Amino acid sequence: MNSEKAREFFSSYFEGSLDSGLKLALEQKFKSDAELKEDYEAFALAFADLNSLRDEDIEIPIYLSDRIATRIEEARQQQRKPFALWNLPWLKAAPMYLAAIAILGTGLGLAVKSRTALGGVLPGGHEKQVDLPTFKVEGSDVTLMYQPHASHTVVIKSGSTGTVLSSIKLEEGQAVEPKLNNDNATAQLFKIQEDSEPEQYIVVPGKQSDSSQPTGDGTIGDFALAVANYYHVPLLMENVSLDTKIKWTLDGIDATKSANTNLQPIHLSADLRTDGMLSINGH
């Protein structure tokens, strides 16, 4: 889980509605990324402040409505950048204008219930709607589980040849669970692309493990295949260049520990997720 994706789960984590597996992954990310943890703490503080405003009886200055109308009209006339409510200068002014937030929040249905964190709101007020999958591991198969909140396309390719294996149109509110099948004896690499999102690479182990070649050298993609073959574990790679060179020696029964020992010299790390996926993340 990279920092950008982690921010998309801030709201659900704050509300306590985040899936247990994603919650654990996010909390592990907080431990390894101090900046991300600070961002979440600022996010939680801001939402707590907004929540407290809903219960306050704020006296509205008699001149406020005219001033709001004037500022909005001025903002609409600025042709160099799109109108965005949160970019209005008066919202960043003196504390007395917090009253405007409460008023406009009521009018616009601001309920502090958005599934998208502040970091996932794009310029112009549009929310980022691509929903990344969770995973279910069953032997040599990995199932991608989507709960889309907007329509978009998922393309699944062979990670080695680039051949398109399937193209799936996700519709809002319709759960989809495509499965990455690997009927081969050895591990296979898959590439997952959702619209303009960064690619995810998934290695699905073969029908049997193979510990005959514990050492090797090549790319990070070759390393992931070697780990999957040796330990018979699926891997997820995010924000990682598959061309990164690495030498490896696989040893012991702990796949996570062994992977980290080999990844440390190239400044990468591996984490074992609660769903059974071994995650290699470039942060």
XYZ file of all heavy atoms in Angstrom, residues 115-216:
762
model
N -16.286 8.589 1.699
C -15.377 7.461 1.711
C -14.003 7.859 1.200
O -13.076 7.047 1.200
C -15.922 6.321 0.836
C -17.167 5.685 1.387
C -17.596 4.541 0.504
N -16.541 3.542 0.409
C -16.372 2.567 1.270
N -17.150 2.458 2.320
N -15.392 1.682 1.099
N -13.871 9.110 0.704
C -12.608 9.553 0.142
C -11.927 10.503 1.087
O -12.524 11.460 1.547
C -12.839 10.277 -1.205
O -13.570 9.403 -2.047
C -11.508 10.642 -1.847
N -10.642 10.254 1.431
C -9.895 11.116 2.327
C -9.584 12.437 1.658
O -9.698 12.581 0.442
C -8.586 10.426 2.744
N -9.176 13.448 2.457
C -8.860 14.749 1.890
C -7.815 14.638 0.810
O -7.836 15.364 -0.178
C -8.375 15.686 3.006
C -9.414 16.055 4.070
C -8.767 16.933 5.127
C -10.594 16.750 3.444
N -6.856 13.742 0.975
C -5.807 13.588 -0.016
C -6.319 13.026 -1.314
O -5.626 13.064 -2.319
N -7.542 12.476 -1.371
C -8.063 11.882 -2.591
C -9.001 12.785 -3.346
O -9.655 12.362 -4.272
N -9.127 14.070 -2.903
C -9.979 15.002 -3.618
C -9.161 15.746 -4.642
O -8.153 16.352 -4.332
C -10.638 16.001 -2.628
C -11.491 16.985 -3.373
C -11.464 15.245 -1.594
N -9.615 15.682 -5.881
C -8.876 16.300 -6.968
C -9.252 17.762 -7.096
O -10.316 18.190 -6.637
C -9.188 15.565 -8.280
C -8.863 14.071 -8.272
C -9.276 13.461 -9.605
C -7.382 13.850 -8.041
N -8.379 18.600 -7.749
C -8.709 20.006 -7.958
C -10.052 20.137 -8.643
O -10.373 19.404 -9.569
C -7.554 20.506 -8.846
C -6.427 19.592 -8.524
C -7.056 18.254 -8.260
N -10.846 21.133 -8.192
C -12.159 21.326 -8.773
C -13.236 20.617 -7.974
O -14.401 20.675 -8.301
N -12.878 19.904 -6.901
C -13.868 19.298 -6.040
C -14.284 17.913 -6.447
O -15.207 17.347 -5.889
N -13.636 17.280 -7.444
C -14.025 15.956 -7.896
C -13.289 14.897 -7.095
O -12.082 14.964 -6.921
C -13.707 15.793 -9.384
C -14.433 16.781 -10.254
N -15.794 16.756 -10.406
C -13.971 17.826 -10.976
C -16.162 17.745 -11.231
N -15.068 18.404 -11.572
N -14.016 13.875 -6.640
C -13.394 12.836 -5.850
C -12.806 11.752 -6.737
O -13.327 11.438 -7.801
C -14.427 12.204 -4.908
C -14.903 13.158 -3.836
C -15.893 12.487 -2.909
O -16.255 11.329 -3.196
O -16.292 13.116 -1.929
N -11.740 11.198 -6.279
C -11.106 10.093 -6.964
C -11.918 8.838 -6.698
O -12.118 8.452 -5.566
C -9.681 9.929 -6.434
C -8.811 9.013 -7.245
C -7.422 9.083 -6.672
C -6.466 8.282 -7.519
N -5.110 8.376 -6.989
N -12.411 8.155 -7.757
C -13.395 7.115 -7.577
C -12.884 5.712 -7.882
O -13.643 4.763 -7.824
C -14.608 7.400 -8.485
C -15.380 8.657 -8.095
C -16.134 8.489 -6.797
O -16.276 7.387 -6.290
N -16.594 9.577 -6.224
N -11.617 5.569 -8.253
C -11.095 4.237 -8.547
C -10.936 3.453 -7.256
O -10.322 3.919 -6.307
C -9.748 4.325 -9.293
C -9.129 2.941 -9.435
C -9.962 4.939 -10.668
N -11.518 2.261 -7.214
C -11.472 1.419 -6.023
C -10.486 0.280 -6.248
O -10.706 -0.578 -7.109
C -12.859 0.841 -5.727
C -13.878 1.927 -5.444
O -13.902 2.398 -4.306
O -14.622 2.307 -6.369
N -9.413 0.261 -5.480
C -8.433 -0.808 -5.599
C -8.970 -2.080 -4.960
O -9.771 -2.027 -4.034
C -7.129 -0.379 -4.934
C -6.457 0.827 -5.597
C -5.256 1.255 -4.792
C -6.048 0.504 -7.025
N -8.518 -3.235 -5.432
C -9.096 -4.488 -4.949
C -8.533 -4.917 -3.600
O -7.443 -4.519 -3.200
C -8.690 -5.493 -6.032
C -7.370 -4.970 -6.527
C -7.520 -3.465 -6.497
N -9.295 -5.739 -2.903
C -8.760 -6.555 -1.828
C -8.550 -7.950 -2.420
O -8.964 -8.222 -3.549
C -9.722 -6.605 -0.629
O -11.009 -7.049 -1.080
C -9.875 -5.230 -0.003
N -7.896 -8.822 -1.671
C -7.505 -10.110 -2.249
C -7.952 -11.279 -1.382
O -8.064 -11.169 -0.165
C -5.980 -10.160 -2.416
C -5.424 -9.039 -3.239
C -4.908 -7.904 -2.627
C -5.419 -9.100 -4.625
C -4.408 -6.855 -3.380
C -4.915 -8.053 -5.375
C -4.413 -6.940 -4.758
N -8.220 -12.397 -2.063
C -8.517 -13.658 -1.388
C -7.611 -14.726 -1.989
O -7.596 -14.932 -3.202
C -9.988 -14.031 -1.562
C -10.378 -15.336 -0.868
C -11.883 -15.538 -0.863
C -12.460 -15.626 -2.257
N -13.909 -15.911 -2.256
N -6.849 -15.385 -1.118
C -5.879 -16.380 -1.567
C -6.428 -17.772 -1.296
O -6.829 -18.088 -0.171
C -4.527 -16.196 -0.847
C -3.538 -17.269 -1.289
C -3.969 -14.804 -1.124
N -6.450 -18.592 -2.331
C -6.924 -19.970 -2.223
C -5.952 -20.877 -2.970
O -6.037 -21.011 -4.190
C -8.327 -20.117 -2.810
C -9.383 -19.268 -2.117
C -10.734 -19.306 -2.820
O -10.782 -18.958 -4.012
O -11.710 -19.704 -2.186
N -5.019 -21.466 -2.226
C -4.042 -22.343 -2.858
C -3.211 -21.601 -3.888
O -2.497 -20.651 -3.573
N -3.319 -22.018 -5.163
C -2.563 -21.384 -6.244
C -3.369 -20.315 -6.961
O -2.958 -19.838 -8.029
C -2.104 -22.453 -7.253
O -1.218 -23.363 -6.648
N -4.521 -19.948 -6.435
C -5.365 -18.931 -7.055
C -5.444 -17.687 -6.184
O -5.464 -17.770 -4.956
C -6.783 -19.464 -7.288
C -6.812 -20.643 -8.251
O -5.957 -20.665 -9.161
O -7.669 -21.529 -8.081
N -5.513 -16.527 -6.854
C -5.719 -15.258 -6.160
C -6.949 -14.590 -6.761
O -7.032 -14.412 -7.974
C -4.502 -14.330 -6.290
C -4.802 -12.957 -5.692
C -3.287 -14.936 -5.613
N -7.911 -14.251 -5.913
C -9.127 -13.586 -6.370
C -9.045 -12.104 -6.046
O -8.701 -11.720 -4.931
C -10.373 -14.184 -5.698
O -10.451 -15.581 -6.012
C -11.639 -13.497 -6.188
N -9.349 -11.267 -7.053
C -9.421 -9.819 -6.863
C -10.864 -9.481 -6.517
O -11.778 -9.808 -7.270
C -8.999 -9.077 -8.137
C -7.710 -9.529 -8.806
C -7.465 -8.702 -10.065
C -6.535 -9.413 -7.867
N -11.082 -8.802 -5.407
C -12.442 -8.483 -4.972
C -12.670 -6.975 -5.051
O -12.026 -6.198 -4.347
C -12.664 -8.996 -3.548
C -12.562 -10.513 -3.453
S -12.966 -11.166 -1.813
C -11.584 -10.529 -0.852
N -13.576 -6.579 -5.936
C -13.877 -5.171 -6.157
C -15.274 -4.832 -5.631
O -16.228 -5.593 -5.808
C -13.834 -4.830 -7.654
C -12.456 -4.863 -8.262
C -12.000 -5.998 -8.923
C -11.616 -3.756 -8.191
C -10.730 -6.026 -9.500
C -10.351 -3.779 -8.760
C -9.919 -4.912 -9.409
O -8.676 -4.940 -9.976
N -15.369 -3.663 -4.990
C -16.641 -3.081 -4.581
C -16.669 -1.662 -5.145
O -16.476 -0.679 -4.418
C -16.776 -3.053 -3.052
C -16.835 -4.409 -2.389
C -18.182 -5.092 -2.586
O -19.166 -4.453 -2.942
N -18.225 -6.397 -2.351
N -16.893 -1.511 -6.452
C -16.716 -0.198 -7.101
C -17.749 0.842 -6.664
O -18.923 0.522 -6.484
C -16.867 -0.528 -8.594
C -17.688 -1.780 -8.621
C -17.306 -2.559 -7.404
N -17.293 2.060 -6.484
C -18.162 3.189 -6.178
C -18.356 4.090 -7.401
O -19.037 5.112 -7.323
C -17.592 3.996 -5.012
C -17.618 3.257 -3.714
N -16.603 2.391 -3.330
C -18.550 3.198 -2.731
C -16.899 1.860 -2.161
N -18.065 2.328 -1.772
N -17.743 3.710 -8.502
C -17.941 4.414 -9.767
C -17.495 3.480 -10.888
O -16.747 2.526 -10.658
C -17.153 5.721 -9.805
N -17.969 3.740 -12.089
C -17.634 2.890 -13.222
C -16.208 3.142 -13.689
O -15.788 4.294 -13.827
C -18.604 3.156 -14.384
O -19.923 2.861 -13.997
N -15.450 2.089 -13.894
C -14.134 2.185 -14.506
C -13.732 0.806 -15.014
O -14.465 -0.165 -14.854
C -13.089 2.761 -13.539
C -12.859 1.964 -12.306
N -13.714 1.974 -11.227
C -11.855 1.109 -11.952
C -13.261 1.196 -10.276
N -12.136 0.641 -10.688
N -12.579 0.741 -15.663
C -12.155 -0.488 -16.334
C -10.907 -1.059 -15.682
O -9.988 -0.329 -15.323
C -11.873 -0.224 -17.826
O -13.068 0.278 -18.435
C -11.462 -1.500 -18.543
N -10.877 -2.368 -15.538
C -9.711 -3.092 -15.046
C -9.193 -3.976 -16.177
O -9.958 -4.743 -16.770
C -10.062 -3.973 -13.829
C -8.851 -4.804 -13.420
C -10.521 -3.115 -12.670
N -7.918 -3.850 -16.489
C -7.295 -4.670 -17.522
C -6.270 -5.587 -16.859
O -5.399 -5.118 -16.120
C -6.614 -3.814 -18.608
C -5.928 -4.703 -19.651
C -7.646 -2.912 -19.282
N -6.385 -6.877 -17.113
C -5.457 -7.869 -16.570
C -4.590 -8.388 -17.713
O -5.098 -8.859 -18.724
C -6.206 -9.033 -15.905
C -7.094 -8.504 -14.768
C -5.224 -10.075 -15.376
C -7.965 -9.573 -14.124
N -3.256 -8.273 -17.542
C -2.316 -8.684 -18.581
C -1.315 -9.694 -18.033
O -1.102 -9.785 -16.821
C -1.542 -7.470 -19.133
C -2.393 -6.406 -19.781
C -1.513 -5.265 -20.284
C -2.332 -4.166 -20.939
N -1.467 -3.061 -21.439
N -0.694 -10.418 -18.938
C 0.445 -11.238 -18.561
C 1.605 -10.306 -18.257
O 1.953 -9.442 -19.063
C 0.814 -12.192 -19.702
O 2.093 -12.754 -19.468
N 2.224 -10.468 -17.086
C 3.321 -9.586 -16.715
C 4.583 -9.839 -17.508
O 5.453 -8.968 -17.588
N 4.698 -10.994 -18.104
C 5.912 -11.331 -18.860
C 5.801 -10.988 -20.343
O 6.773 -10.538 -20.957
C 6.236 -12.819 -18.697
O 5.131 -13.617 -19.082
N 4.610 -11.164 -20.932
C 4.445 -10.914 -22.367
C 3.655 -9.651 -22.679
O 3.704 -9.141 -23.798
C 3.741 -12.106 -23.037
O 2.392 -12.195 -22.540
C 4.481 -13.397 -22.756
N 2.901 -9.141 -21.709
C 2.059 -7.975 -21.946
C 0.739 -8.309 -22.621
O -0.064 -7.413 -22.903
N 0.474 -9.584 -22.872
C -0.766 -10.002 -23.513
C -1.963 -9.710 -22.614
O -1.947 -10.010 -21.418
C -0.741 -11.513 -23.824
O 0.387 -11.792 -24.641
C -2.007 -11.952 -24.525
N -3.015 -9.101 -23.192
C -4.226 -8.824 -22.423
C -4.984 -10.122 -22.201
O -5.390 -10.798 -23.142
C -5.132 -7.806 -23.152
C -6.442 -7.622 -22.394
C -4.425 -6.463 -23.295
N -5.176 -10.469 -20.937
C -5.887 -11.701 -20.589
C -7.375 -11.445 -20.409
O -8.199 -12.305 -20.740
C -5.297 -12.297 -19.312
C -3.785 -12.617 -19.358
C -3.314 -13.129 -18.008
C -3.491 -13.626 -20.456
N -7.722 -10.298 -19.883
C -9.131 -9.926 -19.751
C -9.263 -8.438 -19.495
O -8.352 -7.804 -18.965
C -9.810 -10.710 -18.613
O -9.208 -10.415 -17.370
N -10.403 -7.884 -19.909
C -10.731 -6.481 -19.669
C -12.109 -6.449 -19.027
O -13.083 -6.949 -19.607
C -10.727 -5.690 -20.978
O -11.034 -4.324 -20.740
N -12.188 -5.893 -17.830
C -13.410 -5.970 -17.038
C -13.952 -4.567 -16.798
O -13.251 -3.688 -16.312
C -13.148 -6.651 -15.686
C -12.501 -8.026 -15.910
C -14.435 -6.786 -14.886
C -11.906 -8.610 -14.656
N -15.223 -4.355 -17.166
C -15.876 -3.084 -16.912
C -16.572 -3.139 -15.566
O -17.499 -3.931 -15.355
C -16.907 -2.795 -18.019
C -17.665 -1.486 -17.836
C -16.752 -0.268 -17.955
C -17.557 1.034 -17.885
N -16.695 2.226 -17.987
N -16.104 -2.355 -14.610
C -16.717 -2.308 -13.285
C -17.817 -1.250 -13.268
O -17.612 -0.125 -13.712
C -15.672 -1.973 -12.227
C -14.475 -2.924 -12.114
C -13.576 -2.497 -10.970
C -14.931 -4.359 -11.914
N -18.971 -1.641 -12.773
C -20.105 -0.734 -12.671
C -20.350 -0.384 -11.208
O -20.158 -1.220 -10.319
C -21.365 -1.366 -13.268
C -21.253 -1.742 -14.738
C -21.110 -0.533 -15.650
O -21.410 0.587 -15.195
O -20.708 -0.718 -16.816
N -20.784 0.832 -10.975
C -21.007 1.310 -9.611
C -21.956 0.395 -8.849
O -23.033 0.044 -9.323
C -21.576 2.728 -9.642
C -21.816 3.326 -8.268
C -22.337 4.746 -8.346
O -22.466 5.283 -9.459
O -22.616 5.313 -7.270
N -21.511 -0.038 -7.652
C -22.358 -0.821 -6.779
C -22.442 -2.302 -7.099
O -23.122 -3.046 -6.406
N -21.751 -2.764 -8.153
C -21.810 -4.174 -8.538
C -20.483 -4.854 -8.203
O -19.467 -4.599 -8.842
C -22.107 -4.315 -10.033
C -23.473 -3.759 -10.430
C -23.776 -3.947 -11.907
O -23.067 -4.673 -12.602
N -24.825 -3.298 -12.376
N -20.501 -5.733 -7.214
C -19.285 -6.435 -6.800
C -18.811 -7.378 -7.899
O -19.607 -8.063 -8.529
C -19.542 -7.206 -5.519
N -17.507 -7.390 -8.124
C -16.904 -8.257 -9.135
C -15.698 -8.942 -8.506
O -14.923 -8.313 -7.783
C -16.466 -7.455 -10.382
C -15.783 -8.359 -11.401
C -17.668 -6.769 -11.022
N -15.527 -10.245 -8.791
C -14.432 -11.002 -8.197
C -13.706 -11.834 -9.259
O -13.838 -13.058 -9.303
C -14.955 -11.909 -7.076
C -15.565 -11.148 -5.907
C -15.930 -12.048 -4.739
O -15.708 -13.271 -4.848
O -16.429 -11.535 -3.720
N -12.908 -11.175 -10.121
C -12.133 -11.944 -11.103
C -11.028 -12.745 -10.420
O -10.452 -12.306 -9.428
C -11.554 -10.848 -12.012
C -11.508 -9.636 -11.152
C -12.691 -9.733 -10.233
N -10.733 -13.918 -10.967
C -9.741 -14.807 -10.366
C -8.526 -14.915 -11.273
O -8.653 -15.028 -12.502
C -10.342 -16.192 -10.123
C -9.402 -17.179 -9.458
C -10.096 -18.492 -9.132
C -11.130 -18.320 -8.030
N -11.705 -19.619 -7.611
N -7.345 -14.854 -10.658
C -6.094 -15.056 -11.386
C -5.711 -16.528 -11.257
O -5.196 -16.958 -10.220
C -4.992 -14.155 -10.818
C -5.275 -12.652 -10.811
C -4.084 -11.898 -10.232
C -5.593 -12.136 -12.212
N -6.003 -17.297 -12.289
C -5.724 -18.730 -12.258
C -4.319 -19.022 -12.787
O -3.889 -18.434 -13.776
C -6.746 -19.487 -13.113
C -8.146 -19.401 -12.550
O -8.345 -19.614 -11.360
N -9.110 -19.089 -13.395
N -3.637 -19.901 -12.135
C -2.337 -20.360 -12.613
C -2.317 -21.883 -12.584
O -2.160 -22.488 -11.526
C -1.205 -19.794 -11.752
C 0.157 -20.255 -12.239
O 0.305 -20.763 -13.352
N 1.170 -20.089 -11.402
N -2.462 -22.488 -13.742
C -2.479 -23.949 -13.838
C -1.095 -24.524 -14.104
O -0.952 -25.741 -14.268
C -3.441 -24.388 -14.962
C -4.884 -24.019 -14.645
O -5.248 -24.080 -13.454
O -5.630 -23.663 -15.572
N -0.090 -23.656 -14.152
C 1.265 -24.117 -14.424
C 1.938 -24.630 -13.152
O 1.511 -24.341 -12.032
C 2.106 -22.993 -15.031
C 1.543 -22.515 -16.352
O 1.087 -23.312 -17.159
N 1.567 -21.214 -16.555
N 3.025 -25.346 -13.333
C 3.784 -25.855 -12.182
C 4.537 -24.737 -11.479
O 4.749 -24.776 -10.265
C 4.753 -26.941 -12.634
N 4.959 -23.708 -12.248
C 5.743 -22.607 -11.687
C 4.917 -21.330 -11.591
O 3.827 -21.225 -12.165
C 6.993 -22.337 -12.551
O 6.570 -22.038 -13.893
C 7.902 -23.553 -12.566
N 5.441 -20.353 -10.860
C 4.737 -19.092 -10.614
C 4.576 -18.281 -11.900
O 5.391 -18.363 -12.828
C 5.482 -18.278 -9.564
N 3.515 -17.474 -11.945
C 3.237 -16.614 -13.082
C 3.020 -15.180 -12.605
O 2.483 -14.949 -11.513
C 1.999 -17.099 -13.847
C 2.113 -18.508 -14.406
C 3.181 -18.615 -15.487
O 3.221 -17.804 -16.407
N 4.055 -19.598 -15.362
N 3.402 -14.218 -13.462
C 3.294 -12.794 -13.138
C 2.124 -12.178 -13.898
O 1.979 -12.381 -15.102
C 4.598 -12.077 -13.499
C 4.646 -10.561 -13.302
C 4.546 -10.203 -11.821
C 5.934 -9.983 -13.901
N 1.281 -11.419 -13.184
C 0.145 -10.729 -13.782
C 0.287 -9.220 -13.540
O 0.800 -8.795 -12.502
C -1.175 -11.203 -13.173
C -1.496 -12.644 -13.442
C -1.018 -13.638 -12.582
C -2.262 -13.018 -14.529
C -1.312 -14.975 -12.813
C -2.565 -14.355 -14.769
C -2.082 -15.335 -13.910
N -0.193 -8.440 -14.501
C -0.185 -6.979 -14.394
C -1.629 -6.493 -14.348
O -2.434 -6.826 -15.217
C 0.554 -6.360 -15.580
C 0.525 -4.833 -15.620
C 1.260 -4.334 -16.857
C 1.199 -2.823 -16.983
N 1.899 -2.337 -18.201
N -1.967 -5.694 -13.333
C -3.318 -5.163 -13.157
C -3.283 -3.651 -13.379
O -2.523 -2.943 -12.733
C -3.865 -5.455 -11.748
C -3.614 -6.912 -11.354
C -5.343 -5.101 -11.671
C -4.254 -7.924 -12.245
N -4.133 -3.162 -14.295
C -4.178 -1.729 -14.590
C -5.616 -1.236 -14.482
O -6.509 -1.760 -15.143
C -3.654 -1.462 -15.999
C -3.728 0.003 -16.428
C -2.715 0.877 -15.703
O -1.528 0.636 -15.802
N -3.191 1.892 -15.007
N -5.844 -0.232 -13.628
C -7.161 0.381 -13.485
C -7.103 1.812 -13.992
O -6.519 2.689 -13.354
C -7.604 0.375 -12.024
C -7.845 -1.009 -11.460
C -8.450 -0.942 -10.064
O -9.503 -0.303 -9.914
O -7.861 -1.516 -9.147
N -7.703 2.047 -15.162
C -7.691 3.364 -15.778
C -6.284 3.959 -15.717
O -5.331 3.346 -16.158
C -8.738 4.276 -15.127
C -10.163 3.832 -15.481
O -10.307 2.979 -16.377
O -11.114 4.319 -14.858
N -6.136 5.150 -15.106
C -4.838 5.818 -15.074
C -4.065 5.546 -13.790
O -3.032 6.167 -13.535
C -5.030 7.332 -15.230
O -5.848 7.841 -14.189
N -4.539 4.604 -12.966
C -3.847 4.281 -11.727
C -2.505 3.591 -12.014
O -2.334 2.948 -13.055
C -4.711 3.342 -10.875
C -5.890 4.024 -10.213
C -5.426 4.974 -9.126
O -4.903 4.531 -8.103
O -5.599 6.188 -9.325
N -1.536 3.701 -11.100
C -0.279 2.965 -11.256
C -0.540 1.464 -11.310
O -1.461 0.962 -10.675
C 0.512 3.348 -9.995
C -0.090 4.640 -9.543
C -1.535 4.565 -9.898
N 0.283 0.743 -12.078
C 0.089 -0.694 -12.224
C 0.352 -1.429 -10.910
O 1.175 -1.020 -10.108
C 1.024 -1.273 -13.297
C 0.839 -0.682 -14.679
C 1.763 0.489 -14.937
O 2.316 1.035 -13.955
O 1.936 0.858 -16.112
N -0.362 -2.505 -10.722
C -0.065 -3.456 -9.658
C 0.397 -4.750 -10.328
O -0.152 -5.169 -11.348
C -1.316 -3.749 -8.812
C -1.784 -2.576 -7.967
C -3.012 -2.958 -7.150
O -4.028 -3.380 -7.689
N -2.930 -2.803 -5.846
N 1.427 -5.363 -9.762
C 1.921 -6.631 -10.282
C 1.669 -7.710 -9.233
O 1.978 -7.528 -8.050
C 3.410 -6.546 -10.601
C 3.714 -5.645 -11.780
C 4.030 -4.304 -11.587
C 3.690 -6.140 -13.082
C 4.296 -3.469 -12.664
C 3.955 -5.311 -14.166
C 4.264 -3.983 -13.952
O 4.528 -3.159 -15.018
N 1.098 -8.807 -9.667
C 0.769 -9.904 -8.758
C 1.409 -11.182 -9.271
O 1.264 -11.538 -10.447
C -0.758 -10.086 -8.639
C -1.390 -8.826 -8.046
C -1.081 -11.317 -7.785
C -2.893 -8.869 -7.993
N 2.138 -11.865 -8.390
C 2.739 -13.161 -8.719
C 1.906 -14.246 -8.043
O 1.719 -14.224 -6.832
C 4.202 -13.239 -8.256
C 4.760 -14.638 -8.541
C 5.043 -12.192 -8.971
N 1.397 -15.166 -8.862
C 0.589 -16.274 -8.356
C 1.434 -17.542 -8.409
O 1.968 -17.891 -9.465
C -0.693 -16.457 -9.193
C -1.519 -17.623 -8.665
C -1.520 -15.173 -9.173
N 1.607 -18.221 -7.286
C 2.451 -19.417 -7.285
C 1.865 -20.529 -8.154
O 0.659 -20.549 -8.430
C 2.487 -19.829 -5.807
C 1.264 -19.223 -5.212
C 1.022 -17.947 -5.964
N 2.725 -21.457 -8.570
C 2.282 -22.585 -9.375
C 1.686 -23.684 -8.511
O 1.429 -23.516 -7.328
N 1.489 -24.837 -9.134
C 0.851 -25.946 -8.438
C 1.767 -26.604 -7.408
O 1.305 -27.364 -6.564
C 0.370 -26.979 -9.458
C -0.716 -26.448 -10.392
C -1.933 -25.967 -9.606
C -3.027 -25.466 -10.523
N -4.179 -24.918 -9.771
N 3.050 -26.312 -7.477
C 3.963 -26.911 -6.513
C 5.111 -25.954 -6.214
O 5.445 -25.097 -7.029
C 4.522 -28.234 -7.057
C 5.263 -28.091 -8.382
C 5.599 -29.430 -9.008
O 4.872 -30.404 -8.825
N 6.692 -29.483 -9.740
N 5.690 -26.080 -5.022
C 6.836 -25.245 -4.663
C 8.101 -25.848 -5.248
O 8.148 -27.028 -5.614
C 6.957 -25.142 -3.136
O 7.114 -26.426 -2.559
N 9.136 -25.000 -5.351
C 10.401 -25.455 -5.928
C 11.546 -24.777 -5.188
O 11.793 -23.589 -5.361
C 10.446 -25.121 -7.422
C 11.742 -25.571 -8.090
O 12.527 -26.280 -7.423
O 11.962 -25.217 -9.256
N 12.244 -25.536 -4.334
C 13.348 -24.980 -3.552
C 14.705 -25.409 -4.097
O 15.715 -25.332 -3.402
C 13.218 -25.430 -2.091
O 13.212 -26.855 -2.007
N 14.728 -25.827 -5.365
C 15.970 -26.356 -5.938
C 16.960 -25.256 -6.309
O 18.148 -25.523 -6.483
C 15.655 -27.205 -7.179
O 15.029 -26.413 -8.187
N 16.486 -24.011 -6.468
C 17.369 -22.910 -6.858
C 17.196 -21.742 -5.885
O 16.519 -20.762 -6.193
C 17.073 -22.469 -8.294
C 17.384 -23.549 -9.324
C 17.106 -23.086 -10.747
O 16.132 -22.403 -11.015
N 17.994 -23.459 -11.652
N 17.816 -21.814 -4.711
C 17.635 -20.763 -3.698
C 18.413 -19.483 -3.986
O 18.166 -18.468 -3.348
C 18.145 -21.424 -2.422
C 19.162 -22.415 -2.906
C 18.647 -22.921 -4.217
N 19.361 -19.511 -4.907
C 20.142 -18.307 -5.221
C 19.929 -17.912 -6.675
O 19.573 -18.729 -7.516
C 21.643 -18.548 -4.985
O 22.105 -19.590 -5.874
C 21.910 -18.953 -3.552
N 20.156 -16.631 -6.938
C 20.014 -16.156 -8.312
C 20.252 -14.669 -8.403
O 20.518 -13.990 -7.405
